[in-house]
Amino acid sequence: MATQTIADTGESIATDPSKSVGGGTTVWCLLALVACSHFAIALKYFPRLWSQGHYQYFPLVLGVIAWLFWSRRSEIANAKTVPSPKVIVGLLAADLVAVLLATLLNSSAVGMVSFALALITAIYWCVGSGGLRASMPMLSLLVFVTPLPLDMDQHLIMKMQFLASHLASLLLDSVGAIHFRNGVILTTENNQFLPEEACSGIRSLFSSMAAIAIYGVVNRYPLWRHLMNLVQVLFWVIIGNALRVATVIIVTDNWTDRIASGTGHEVLGLLVFLFIFAMAMSTDRLLTVILRLILPAWQDSQSMQYRFQSTTVNHVSSSLLNPTPLINSYAFGAFFVLFTGASLLSANASYARYWVDQEKQTVELDRLLVPKQEHLPSQLGDWQLSKFEHTYRGEDAIQAQDSYIWTYNRGDLVALVSIDCPWSDWHNLDWCYSALGWETQPNFLVSSDEHGDQGGRAHTELTMTQDHMHGMVIFSSVDRQGEEVLPPLSYRSQTMSGFLQQVMGNMASALTFDPAAQSEIRGVALPASTLQLFAPSGRELTDEDRKELRKLFFSFRQQVLASPRYQTAQ
């Protein structure tokens, strides 16, 4: 029986060769199974990142991380220590639990944790805690390919749209450009401008922060220097984006509208990004000059190399590609079987959540009939129809591409009920009305049954004010079959039943192997449509007004779902 010293813990362990598994090949086989178990998560995670414009830089970040690992492989090898079997078992067990939860719950947040654990496990098994510490600067860059949780990025977009419009308005005032600002909308004598997601600055912010962080890792900056660079990048993003919005308005109003959309707009966005990054680099260089005046030895390459070498004395140096199994054959076999099962579960969940949904999305969308005026009666209760109109905004509009609007009147109250489509999921109108300058108080997932509608459905209510105006919005979403589309889990904290329903549905989709059953369980039959009521008023709405507006919305929803649009849908 051989004895081996474990550098990570300082303890000695006895390994029985008869109970150990093979060499590095067996370790890599197990790590390959660990990677396969994350397939379902990756299939959801990476397309989601690519579909959101402010995360589309993620392939570059992943490529840079891979390049940094390769370029520093000698340093990582020199920093290698012998890993502890107990730590390896703990990391494998933690990653197994995380990947099972992420797959069953269909959770990107838990999935990112399992990705990180898998990567840490692989690095630790190969190079121990010393190599893991040497790898931490590269691993920290994964933060920039991690979406903000609970739709926080959407809230950030809205805040940055307001800030961009406000600062652009100040710039227009400074040059004497006549305009009016309402929320995020800027109106001039000739045009109306609505800064969308790309113009909010969110893309420049995330990509610039990632770029300056990569620059800092390449130059081996300490943590406080990284934090200073991220703060100064935020400043330059705010300045650059305000200049971008003001430039679009001035050029469009006085010369050409080519800069407001299309290729011209994309070129302007690229130039703004280059301006932001150049100013951030200049600020960083200025800080370096100041630091060298204060500390002459600051960032001296020889002293840095000496500091690095001083931390790697007594470390074990060996090949990175030949990890030692360390754990006994029983534990190794158990993890091999468990991760094989996790990989099979991941494959089934991938089919249920991707290919079945893709089959649904290939249905011809024109089979869903276009709403017409006669689909609603001229009178709904005490409400009288006064107008019907169709508004087409185009595919790139921040609001719905198509809105079919019926206007009803009751006394001094006016209510606009509409079908807004198409959407790929539940759409939060709170963002839209906030962007238009309304102050909103949302109440998500209100039970319609509690207000007299016995259909077992839910809706969202917005209580709104703007200057001297008051308003109320009621909305819900349905898919092409008229089935209710519920909001994401982040909006369901107040309804445990809704949370459990979503959790059980996600688990069922991963555990069910019958394609027909998966089709019944999974997803939204596209396209989704938003059914909404918007009631602006010059006076404060009373409880009786709100009661009547809810009754109108329930009648409208029932009429729409009974119309040929949904009764003939396939």
Side-chain angles (χ1 to χ4, degrees):
M1 185 175 291
T3 301
Q4 184 177 22
T5 301
I6 304 302
D8 280 349
T9 61
E11 60 181 285
S12 298
I13 62 167
T15 59
D16 187 350
S18 64
K19 294 184 179 180
S20 64
V21 292
T25 302
T26 57
V27 174
W28 285 115
C29 287
L30 179 57
L31 292 177
L33 270 180
V34 173
C36 289
S37 67
H38 291 76
F39 181 73
I41 305 167
L43 199 60
K44 174 187 178 182
Y45 189 79
F46 292 114
R48 176 192 171 191
L49 286 182
W50 186 256
S51 67
Q52 297 177 306
H54 47 287
Y55 292 119
Q56 286 183 350
Y57 60 85
F58 80 89
L60 295 176
V61 175
L62 296 178
V64 168
I65 292 174
W67 169 76
L68 285 170
F69 268 111
W70 177 256
S71 63
R72 297 185 183 182
R73 62 191 184 278
S74 297
E75 297 177 17
I76 296 173
N78 290 333
K80 179 177 180 178
T81 57
V82 179
S84 164
K86 294 179 181 179
V87 174
I88 293 174
V89 170
L91 287 172
L92 286 172
D95 186 50
L96 180 64
V97 172
V99 75
L100 288 174
L101 284 175
T103 302
L104 289 173
L105 301 181
N106 198 22
S107 169
S108 294
V110 181
M112 194 59 199
V113 173
S114 69
F115 273 129
L117 281 172
L119 195 56
I120 289 172
T121 301
I123 294 173
Y124 179 81
W125 203 335
C126 292
V127 292
S129 61
L132 183 60
R133 281 193 296 270
S135 303
M136 287 308 297
M138 287 77 81
L139 292 177
S140 66
L141 294 177
L142 291 175
V143 171
F144 298 99
V145 297
T146 305
L148 297 177
L150 303 178
D151 286 325
M152 290 175 61
D153 50 350
Q154 297 299 326
H155 293 284
L156 180 61
I157 288 170
M158 187 173 65
K159 297 296 184 183
M160 293 188 69
Q161 283 176 320
F162 270 100
L163 182 60
S165 297
H166 176 67
L167 294 179
S169 178
L170 295 178
L171 289 173
L172 294 173
D173 285 338
S174 68
V175 297
I178 300 174
H179 70 284
F180 172 74
R181 185 173 74 91
N182 182 23
V184 302
I185 298 175
L186 293 166
T187 304
T188 64
E189 294 179 286
N190 303 317
N191 296 287
Q192 187 178 72
F193 300 88
L194 174 64
E196 299 183 3
E197 176 188 320
C199 296
S200 68
I202 189 77
R203 298 184 184 184
S204 298
L205 176 63
F206 284 5
S207 57
S208 298
M209 282 187 164
I212 203 69
I214 289 170
Y215 178 79
V217 170
V218 170
N219 286 279
R220 305 177 186 274
Y221 282 174
L223 178 60
W224 67 267
R225 186 75 181 271
H226 280 291
L227 295 177
M228 289 189 66
N229 272 343
L230 294 177
V231 171
Q232 58 110 344
V233 161
L234 175 61
F235 170 78
W236 289 116
V237 166
I238 293 172
I239 297 300
N241 202 58
L243 289 170
R244 176 187 184 182
V245 175
T247 300
V248 168
I249 293 174
I250 293 172
V251 172
T252 301
D253 252 19
N254 294 280
W255 293 286
T256 177
D257 62 355
R258 292 182 179 179
I259 200 173
S261 61
T263 303
H265 195 65
E266 296 298 327
V267 171
L268 177 62
L270 178 60
L271 293 175
V272 169
F273 170 77
L274 293 176
F275 164 78
I276 292 169
F277 190 66
M279 296 306 296
M281 292 287 290
S282 298
T283 306
D284 177 76
R285 290 295 87 201
L286 176 62
L287 180 60
T288 299
V289 171
I290 294 174
L291 287 171
R292 284 176 177 171
L293 290 175
I294 300 173
L295 303 171
W298 172 257
Q299 234 183 7
D300 178 76
S301 58
Q302 292 184 352
S303 63
M304 285 187 64
Q305 185 67 20
Y306 174 77
R307 287 197 300 271
F308 174 76
Q309 290 177 348
S310 67
T311 64
T312 58
V313 177
N314 301 325
H315 283 188
V316 180
S317 176
S318 63
S319 172
L320 295 176
L321 301 179
N322 190 31
T324 305
L326 293 177
I327 60 178
N328 63 48
S329 58
Y330 300 112
F332 196 95
F335 280 118
F336 200 92
V337 172
L338 290 172
F339 276 104
T340 298
S343 299
L344 292 174
L345 180 67
S346 177
N348 181 70
S350 301
Y351 175 77
R353 293 168 181 162
Y354 183 75
W355 281 285
V356 171
D357 285 347
Q358 288 296 104
E359 291 172 4
K360 290 183 178 181
Q361 294 179 32
T362 59
V363 176
E364 292 293 334
L365 298 186
D366 60 5
R367 294 182 185 176
L368 201 57
L369 296 181
V370 173
K372 298 179 181 179
Q373 179 175 343
E374 56 267 25
H375 286 176
L376 291 184
S378 58
Q379 188 168 349
L380 280 174
D382 297 332
W383 295 83
Q384 188 69 38
L385 178 66
S386 61
K387 186 173 63 172
F388 171 80
E389 60 182 321
H390 168 224
T391 301
Y392 176 75
R393 302 182 182 89
E395 296 182 359
D396 298 326
I398 192 173
Q399 297 170 291
Q401 175 179 315
D402 289 283
S403 290
Y404 302 88
I405 308 167
W406 293 261
T407 303
Y408 282 89
N409 299 83
R410 179 183 180 275
D412 65 339
L413 290 179
V414 178
L416 289 76
V417 295
S418 64
I419 301 174
D420 305 318
C421 58
W423 299 109
S424 60
D425 209 336
W426 184 84
H427 182 68
N428 186 6
L429 290 180
D430 183 33
W431 298 336
C432 298
Y433 284 99
S434 296
L436 295 174
W438 289 90
E439 295 183 9
T440 65
Q441 296 179 1
N443 189 9
F444 297 104
L445 279 171
V446 179
S447 172
S448 299
D449 290 352
E450 296 178 0
H451 296 283
D453 183 49
Q454 302 304 316
R457 294 178 178 268
H459 64 274
T460 297
E461 296 184 1
L462 306 179
T463 302
M464 310 191 303
T465 58
Q466 184 184 57
D467 298 330
H468 301 292
M469 292 289 294
H470 299 268
M472 182 178 187
V473 168
I474 307 174
F475 70 94
S476 64
S477 295
V478 296
D479 65 10
R480 67 179 296 109
Q481 297 171 348
E483 297 297 326
E484 187 171 24
V485 179
L486 292 174
L489 292 179
S490 56
Y491 296 95
R492 304 188 205 179
S493 57
Q494 54 188 312
T495 57
M496 182 57 67
S497 61
F499 175 81
L500 293 176
Q501 179 183 357
Q502 180 72 11
V503 169
M504 296 303 294
N506 286 334
M507 292 180 65
S509 68
L511 294 172
T512 304
F513 288 83
D514 180 14
Q518 290 171 342
S519 298
E520 291 296 323
I521 293 169
R522 284 307 307 155
V524 176
L526 298 180
S529 302
T530 298
L531 310 181
Q532 74 155 310
L533 175 148
F534 170 51
S537 176
R539 61 174 176 81
E540 187 173 354
L541 296 173
T542 65
D543 291 340
E544 183 63 26
D545 292 333
R546 299 181 188 281
K547 181 179 178 180
E548 292 299 325
L549 289 169
R550 291 189 189 100
K551 289 172 60 177
L552 174 61
F553 175 76
F554 298 150
S555 298
F556 158 68
R557 183 167 61 181
Q558 292 170 4
Q559 291 285 339
V560 167
L561 295 179
S563 69
R565 174 177 172 85
Y566 292 103
Q567 292 302 310
T568 60
Q570 298 183 14

